[in-house]
Amino acid sequence: ELIADRIVSGGDRVTGWKLAGNSPNFRKAYDDHPCMVGFLFASGAEASETTFDFASFGVPLKLESELCFTMRERLGGPAVTREEAANAVASVAPAYEIAYSKPDLLTDGKMNLPLCVADNTNNIGYVTGRAISPYPRDHDLREIYVDERRNGETSHYIRALDHVDDQLDSIAWLARHLHERGLAIEPGHC
C-alpha cells in the first residue's frame, strides 16, 4: 500500500484491484497460499484496440484472459457475501491483464510470492473490451469458455470454472480483505 501511495502522489489514481492466485491449481502448487492482491492504476488502462510493442517493455510480457467487474456501489466490510458482491456489480467486460515474467521473481522454478506481491503481482496494466450492463445475474460466468487465438490458431481454450475460483466469491473475499486494511472496493473500480 505504501508503493501505491507513492504512485498516486505522483499523479496516478487507483482504478481497481487485481487478484492473483485465486485458483485451485495455484493453491495446490503453493501450499494453500491465500490470494494475492495488486492495484490497477489509470496509467495502466489501455483501450481495446491498442497495439502493443512487447519489446518496448523491456521484460517478457504475457496476456492473461480475465473478466473485469466494474462496481456500481461501494463494497466493503468484515462479512461481505457473494450475494452482496453480485448486487454491487454494475457491469462485466472481457479483459486482458498485461503481466510480465521476471527471472528474479522465480526461486527453484516457482514464483517468489513475497516478491511477486511487492512487485504488484506482476501487473503492468489491463485492456478491457465492451462491458455488459447490467451485470447478467442469470448467467453463470463460471461456464464461460475462452478461445484465445494467435494468427488464426487456438493457443488456449479454457473454461473459467476449471481455471479460477467463482468470480463473485472472489470479489466478496477481496472486499473482506480490503476491509482489514481500512479500504473498500469503490464505485467505478474494476
Side-chain angles (χ1 to χ4, degrees):
E1 289 149 17
L2 294 174
I3 294 170
D5 290 343
R6 290 185 73 187
I7 292 170
V8 169
S9 70
D12 211 338
R13 67 184 172 80
V14 173
T15 56
W17 304 93
K18 183 256 185 290
L19 285 178
N22 56 324
S23 73
N25 290 338
F26 180 89
R27 285 190 297 281
K28 182 177 178 184
Y30 289 92
D31 300 322
D32 250 1
H33 194 280
C35 293
M36 298 173 289
V37 178
F39 294 88
L40 298 178
F41 294 101
S43 61
E46 299 290 350
S48 185
E49 300 297 319
T50 301
T51 300
F52 295 98
D53 174 10
F54 279 28
S56 70
F57 285 89
V59 292
L61 292 183
K62 60 183 178 174
L63 296 176
E64 296 181 1
S65 300
E66 305 286 353
L67 288 175
C68 178
F69 293 82
T70 301
M71 305 311 286
R72 177 181 56 256
E73 58 192 52
R74 188 173 204 268
L75 186 65
V80 172
T81 66
R82 182 181 195 282
E83 186 67 21
E84 290 169 320
N87 290 335
V89 173
S91 64
V92 62
Y96 275 114
E97 177 188 7
I98 307 166
Y100 60 90
S101 300
K102 291 168 59 176
D104 57 341
L105 293 178
L106 298 176
T107 303
D108 297 326
K110 291 179 93 173
M111 268 193 300
N112 182 313
L113 299 182
L115 284 179
C116 181
V117 170
D119 211 18
N120 201 33
T121 64
N122 301 350
N123 179 275
I124 290 177
Y126 60 101
V127 179
T128 55
R130 185 175 53 85
I132 299 170
S133 181
Y135 170 67
R137 292 185 63 143
D138 59 336
H139 187 78
D140 185 354
L141 297 179
R142 296 173 299 174
E143 291 297 330
I144 286 178
Y145 283 82
V146 174
D147 183 4
E148 195 172 285
R149 295 169 179 252
R150 269 189 207 126
N151 301 322
E153 299 289 324
T154 296
S155 60
H156 290 92
Y157 188 79
I158 56 172
R159 182 175 68 156
L161 181 62
D162 299 329
H163 188 65
V164 297
D165 293 340
D166 178 273
Q167 297 97 338
L168 294 172
D169 285 339
S170 294
I171 293 169
W173 178 90
L174 175 63
R176 294 188 303 268
H177 175 79
L178 293 176
H179 175 77
E180 294 171 4
R181 287 151 181 74
L183 302 168
I185 308 172
E186 300 294 343
H189 276 180
C190 69

PDB file of all heavy atoms in Angstrom, residues 57-70:
ATOM      1  N   PHE A  57       8.702  -2.905 -23.600  1.00  0.00           N
ATOM      2  CA  PHE A  57       8.517  -3.006 -22.160  1.00  0.00           C
ATOM      3  C   PHE A  57       9.787  -3.430 -21.428  1.00  0.00           C
ATOM      4  O   PHE A  57       9.908  -3.221 -20.232  1.00  0.00           O
ATOM      5  CB  PHE A  57       7.376  -3.982 -21.832  1.00  0.00           C
ATOM      6  CG  PHE A  57       6.010  -3.421 -22.089  1.00  0.00           C
ATOM      7  CD1 PHE A  57       5.420  -3.548 -23.327  1.00  0.00           C
ATOM      8  CD2 PHE A  57       5.324  -2.757 -21.088  1.00  0.00           C
ATOM      9  CE1 PHE A  57       4.160  -3.032 -23.568  1.00  0.00           C
ATOM     10  CE2 PHE A  57       4.062  -2.231 -21.314  1.00  0.00           C
ATOM     11  CZ  PHE A  57       3.480  -2.368 -22.565  1.00  0.00           C
ATOM     12  N   GLY A  58      10.712  -4.050 -22.126  1.00  0.00           N
ATOM     13  CA  GLY A  58      11.977  -4.433 -21.513  1.00  0.00           C
ATOM     14  C   GLY A  58      11.939  -5.702 -20.680  1.00  0.00           C
ATOM     15  O   GLY A  58      12.957  -6.095 -20.118  1.00  0.00           O
ATOM     16  N   VAL A  59      10.788  -6.320 -20.534  1.00  0.00           N
ATOM     17  CA  VAL A  59      10.654  -7.588 -19.820  1.00  0.00           C
ATOM     18  C   VAL A  59       9.715  -8.476 -20.630  1.00  0.00           C
ATOM     19  O   VAL A  59       8.895  -7.977 -21.394  1.00  0.00           O
ATOM     20  CB  VAL A  59      10.086  -7.413 -18.383  1.00  0.00           C
ATOM     21  CG1 VAL A  59      11.068  -6.698 -17.480  1.00  0.00           C
ATOM     22  CG2 VAL A  59       8.748  -6.697 -18.398  1.00  0.00           C
ATOM     23  N   PRO A  60       9.835  -9.811 -20.491  1.00  0.00           N
ATOM     24  CA  PRO A  60       8.906 -10.696 -21.209  1.00  0.00           C
ATOM     25  C   PRO A  60       7.466 -10.478 -20.730  1.00  0.00           C
ATOM     26  O   PRO A  60       7.197 -10.511 -19.531  1.00  0.00           O
ATOM     27  CB  PRO A  60       9.394 -12.099 -20.856  1.00  0.00           C
ATOM     28  CG  PRO A  60      10.768 -11.934 -20.308  1.00  0.00           C
ATOM     29  CD  PRO A  60      10.839 -10.557 -19.736  1.00  0.00           C
ATOM     30  N   LEU A  61       6.568 -10.230 -21.658  1.00  0.00           N
ATOM     31  CA  LEU A  61       5.169  -9.981 -21.322  1.00  0.00           C
ATOM     32  C   LEU A  61       4.302 -11.183 -21.641  1.00  0.00           C
ATOM     33  O   LEU A  61       4.640 -12.006 -22.481  1.00  0.00           O
ATOM     34  CB  LEU A  61       4.625  -8.793 -22.124  1.00  0.00           C
ATOM     35  CG  LEU A  61       5.172  -7.432 -21.803  1.00  0.00           C
ATOM     36  CD1 LEU A  61       4.471  -6.382 -22.650  1.00  0.00           C
ATOM     37  CD2 LEU A  61       5.010  -7.098 -20.338  1.00  0.00           C
ATOM     38  N   LYS A  62       3.167 -11.218 -20.984  1.00  0.00           N
ATOM     39  CA  LYS A  62       2.144 -12.200 -21.325  1.00  0.00           C
ATOM     40  C   LYS A  62       0.789 -11.537 -21.129  1.00  0.00           C
ATOM     41  O   LYS A  62       0.629 -10.620 -20.322  1.00  0.00           O
ATOM     42  CB  LYS A  62       2.283 -13.461 -20.484  1.00  0.00           C
ATOM     43  CG  LYS A  62       2.159 -13.247 -18.997  1.00  0.00           C
ATOM     44  CD  LYS A  62       2.377 -14.544 -18.239  1.00  0.00           C
ATOM     45  CE  LYS A  62       2.300 -14.298 -16.738  1.00  0.00           C
ATOM     46  NZ  LYS A  62       2.372 -15.525 -15.993  1.00  0.00           N
ATOM     47  N   LEU A  63      -0.171 -11.971 -21.912  1.00  0.00           N
ATOM     48  CA  LEU A  63      -1.542 -11.504 -21.768  1.00  0.00           C
ATOM     49  C   LEU A  63      -2.337 -12.619 -21.121  1.00  0.00           C
ATOM     50  O   LEU A  63      -2.270 -13.770 -21.547  1.00  0.00           O
ATOM     51  CB  LEU A  63      -2.143 -11.165 -23.133  1.00  0.00           C
ATOM     52  CG  LEU A  63      -1.486 -10.020 -23.889  1.00  0.00           C
ATOM     53  CD1 LEU A  63      -2.132  -9.862 -25.263  1.00  0.00           C
ATOM     54  CD2 LEU A  63      -1.578  -8.722 -23.110  1.00  0.00           C
ATOM     55  N   GLU A  64      -3.080 -12.274 -20.076  1.00  0.00           N
ATOM     56  CA  GLU A  64      -3.909 -13.256 -19.385  1.00  0.00           C
ATOM     57  C   GLU A  64      -5.369 -12.880 -19.562  1.00  0.00           C
ATOM     58  O   GLU A  64      -5.760 -11.745 -19.281  1.00  0.00           O
ATOM     59  CB  GLU A  64      -3.560 -13.294 -17.897  1.00  0.00           C
ATOM     60  CG  GLU A  64      -2.144 -13.761 -17.629  1.00  0.00           C
ATOM     61  CD  GLU A  64      -1.823 -13.828 -16.145  1.00  0.00           C
ATOM     62  OE1 GLU A  64      -2.712 -13.535 -15.305  1.00  0.00           O
ATOM     63  OE2 GLU A  64      -0.679 -14.163 -15.817  1.00  0.00           O
ATOM     64  N   SER A  65      -6.182 -13.827 -20.000  1.00  0.00           N
ATOM     65  CA  SER A  65      -7.623 -13.589 -20.154  1.00  0.00           C
ATOM     66  C   SER A  65      -8.259 -13.396 -18.786  1.00  0.00           C
ATOM     67  O   SER A  65      -8.003 -14.167 -17.861  1.00  0.00           O
ATOM     68  CB  SER A  65      -8.285 -14.783 -20.846  1.00  0.00           C
ATOM     69  OG  SER A  65      -7.725 -14.982 -22.106  1.00  0.00           O
ATOM     70  N   GLU A  66      -9.073 -12.371 -18.680  1.00  0.00           N
ATOM     71  CA  GLU A  66      -9.716 -12.029 -17.412  1.00  0.00           C
ATOM     72  C   GLU A  66     -11.146 -11.563 -17.662  1.00  0.00           C
ATOM     73  O   GLU A  66     -11.545 -11.368 -18.808  1.00  0.00           O
ATOM     74  CB  GLU A  66      -8.956 -10.892 -16.713  1.00  0.00           C
ATOM     75  CG  GLU A  66      -7.482 -11.130 -16.482  1.00  0.00           C
ATOM     76  CD  GLU A  66      -7.175 -12.107 -15.370  1.00  0.00           C
ATOM     77  OE1 GLU A  66      -8.121 -12.531 -14.662  1.00  0.00           O
ATOM     78  OE2 GLU A  66      -6.003 -12.453 -15.203  1.00  0.00           O
ATOM     79  N   LEU A  67     -11.875 -11.351 -16.594  1.00  0.00           N
ATOM     80  CA  LEU A  67     -13.140 -10.627 -16.626  1.00  0.00           C
ATOM     81  C   LEU A  67     -12.970  -9.415 -15.720  1.00  0.00           C
ATOM     82  O   LEU A  67     -12.404  -9.522 -14.630  1.00  0.00           O
ATOM     83  CB  LEU A  67     -14.299 -11.490 -16.119  1.00  0.00           C
ATOM     84  CG  LEU A  67     -14.746 -12.613 -17.034  1.00  0.00           C
ATOM     85  CD1 LEU A  67     -15.813 -13.460 -16.346  1.00  0.00           C
ATOM     86  CD2 LEU A  67     -15.270 -12.069 -18.348  1.00  0.00           C
ATOM     87  N   CYS A  68     -13.434  -8.274 -16.180  1.00  0.00           N
ATOM     88  CA  CYS A  68     -13.361  -7.042 -15.400  1.00  0.00           C
ATOM     89  C   CYS A  68     -14.767  -6.714 -14.900  1.00  0.00           C
ATOM     90  O   CYS A  68     -15.659  -6.430 -15.694  1.00  0.00           O
ATOM     91  CB  CYS A  68     -12.817  -5.910 -16.272  1.00  0.00           C
ATOM     92  SG  CYS A  68     -12.734  -4.332 -15.412  1.00  0.00           S
ATOM     93  N   PHE A  69     -14.949  -6.792 -13.592  1.00  0.00           N
ATOM     94  CA  PHE A  69     -16.222  -6.467 -12.958  1.00  0.00           C
ATOM     95  C   PHE A  69     -16.132  -5.035 -12.453  1.00  0.00           C
ATOM     96  O   PHE A  69     -15.289  -4.729 -11.609  1.00  0.00           O
ATOM     97  CB  PHE A  69     -16.488  -7.405 -11.774  1.00  0.00           C
ATOM     98  CG  PHE A  69     -16.722  -8.830 -12.175  1.00  0.00           C
ATOM     99  CD1 PHE A  69     -15.661  -9.687 -12.428  1.00  0.00           C
ATOM    100  CD2 PHE A  69     -18.014  -9.307 -12.309  1.00  0.00           C
ATOM    101  CE1 PHE A  69     -15.878 -10.999 -12.804  1.00  0.00           C
ATOM    102  CE2 PHE A  69     -18.247 -10.630 -12.678  1.00  0.00           C
ATOM    103  CZ  PHE A  69     -17.173 -11.466 -12.935  1.00  0.00           C
ATOM    104  N   THR A  70     -16.976  -4.160 -12.957  1.00  0.00           N
ATOM    105  CA  THR A  70     -16.980  -2.768 -12.508  1.00  0.00           C
ATOM    106  C   THR A  70     -18.095  -2.580 -11.491  1.00  0.00           C
ATOM    107  O   THR A  70     -19.220  -3.042 -11.683  1.00  0.00           O
ATOM    108  CB  THR A  70     -17.168  -1.813 -13.700  1.00  0.00           C
ATOM    109  OG1 THR A  70     -16.083  -2.036 -14.613  1.00  0.00           O
ATOM    110  CG2 THR A  70     -17.142  -0.360 -13.257  1.00  0.00           C
TER     111      THR A  70
END
